[in-house]
Amino acid sequence: MRGNHRPIPAEHRRETVDGNPAFMPRHSITVPAVVWSVLAPLSPVERDRMLAAALAPRRSVHDRVLVRDPGDRPLAPCTAARARQLVKRAGAEWVSYLPPVIRLTGTANGASR
């Protein structure tokens, strides 16, 4: 055995569609009956894949901050970190927090880069 890899204990194995042993997660989630009616006919591998995709973090429109120019025309969105920098340097002001929108003021040096 190399490194810290240990074999998967027998009580945590299950057979997959391919017949290869796979790790059985030690956690579980509760799903509504309507959702389970869709998931139940799937094989365990397909079900795990679908649940993993549904629960995976993804980038959304809330990861970006909408930007407006001083005339209130839309510009390209920026990251939340960049928006905080602009507001801190007095190069922008918050218009709304949900959805996150800032308006450039044009008063800070380098704010219009």
Side-chain angles (χ1 to χ4, degrees):
M1 242 189 301
R2 293 183 340 189
N4 293 330
H5 299 288
R6 297 186 317 221
I8 299 171
E11 64 269 14
H12 296 296
R13 290 180 192 226
R14 68 161 181 236
E15 295 298 317
T16 64
V17 173
D18 303 333
N20 298 323
F23 178 72
M24 179 178 285
R26 296 181 191 181
H27 60 275
S28 63
I29 61 171
T30 304
V31 295
V34 173
V35 174
W36 183 249
S37 68
V38 173
L39 295 174
L42 300 175
S43 73
V45 172
E46 292 170 324
R47 188 172 32 228
D48 289 350
R49 197 172 292 139
M50 182 177 282
L51 287 172
L55 297 173
R58 32 178 94 117
R59 295 190 68 109
S60 70
V61 76
H62 296 293
D63 291 339
R64 307 294 277 177
V65 176
L66 302 175
V67 180
R68 301 280 180 157
D69 71 359
D72 212 31
R73 291 182 301 263
L75 299 174
C78 68
T79 63
R82 177 72 172 148
R84 287 191 302 272
Q85 288 176 351
L86 288 168
V87 170
K88 185 176 181 180
R89 291 190 320 209
E93 62 187 6
W94 287 104
V95 174
S96 74
Y97 292 101
L98 248 176
V101 180
I102 61 170
R103 181 182 302 118
L104 299 178
T105 60
T107 58
N109 292 334
S112 59
R113 285 193 274 165

